[in-house]
Amino acid sequence: MTADDSYGRLNDDDYPAYTMGRAAEMLGTTPGFLRAIGEARLITPLRSEGGHRRYSRYQLRIAARARQLVDQGTPIEAACRIVILEDQLEEAQRLNAEYRRAAESANPTGTT
């Protein structure tokens, strides 16, 4: 792998670039919080060859949302479920918009 390949991966939201300690530091939380949301199956960090957890930027955004809810008093299990449902809703809305655009381009006059 060249230096250019490594740099390109760091721009990838799904590349597991952050150790547990660094991820916890970035989120202002503890490694225990990251383990708890992993146990709740909100995020599944990749494991290095040595077995250490590695997190992507996408996973850190998800974890940050869960932390926000927990900081507001939501139990961690409920916070994880809320974040999962929010993510599913966002994906469904994105797909719905794609289907609408496809239908509109297939029928530009607006008649059905």
Side-chain angles (χ1 to χ4, degrees), residues 36-72:
I37 63 174
E39 289 169 10
R41 298 188 181 164
L42 178 60
I43 58 175
T44 304
L46 193 71
R47 296 284 184 146
S48 69
E49 287 182 22
H52 300 283
R53 291 173 179 91
R54 305 284 293 191
Y55 298 89
S56 68
R57 286 190 301 206
Y58 173 74
Q59 289 173 324
L60 294 183
R61 282 195 301 276
I62 298 282
R65 176 64 179 131
R67 178 170 183 238
Q68 181 182 39
L69 290 167
V70 169
D71 286 350
Q72 294 171 356

Side-chain angles (χ1 to χ4, degrees), residues 24-103:
E25 180 183 314
M26 291 170 68
L27 294 171
T29 190
T30 64
F33 175 80
L34 291 172
R35 280 190 290 277
I37 63 174
E39 289 169 10
R41 298 188 181 164
L42 178 60
I43 58 175
T44 304
L46 193 71
R47 296 284 184 146
S48 69
E49 287 182 22
H52 300 283
R53 291 173 179 91
R54 305 284 293 191
Y55 298 89
S56 68
R57 286 190 301 206
Y58 173 74
Q59 289 173 324
L60 294 183
R61 282 195 301 276
I62 298 282
R65 176 64 179 131
R67 178 170 183 238
Q68 181 182 39
L69 290 167
V70 169
D71 286 350
Q72 294 171 356
T74 306
I76 197 162
E77 297 81 14
C80 290
R81 186 67 183 140
I82 289 167
V83 173
I84 289 167
L85 291 170
E86 288 174 342
D87 197 46
Q88 289 173 344
L89 176 60
E90 184 179 319
E91 178 67 8
Q93 289 173 330
R94 185 190 64 75
L95 288 171
N96 203 8
E98 281 182 25
Y99 294 145
R100 275 197 203 110
R101 281 192 296 278

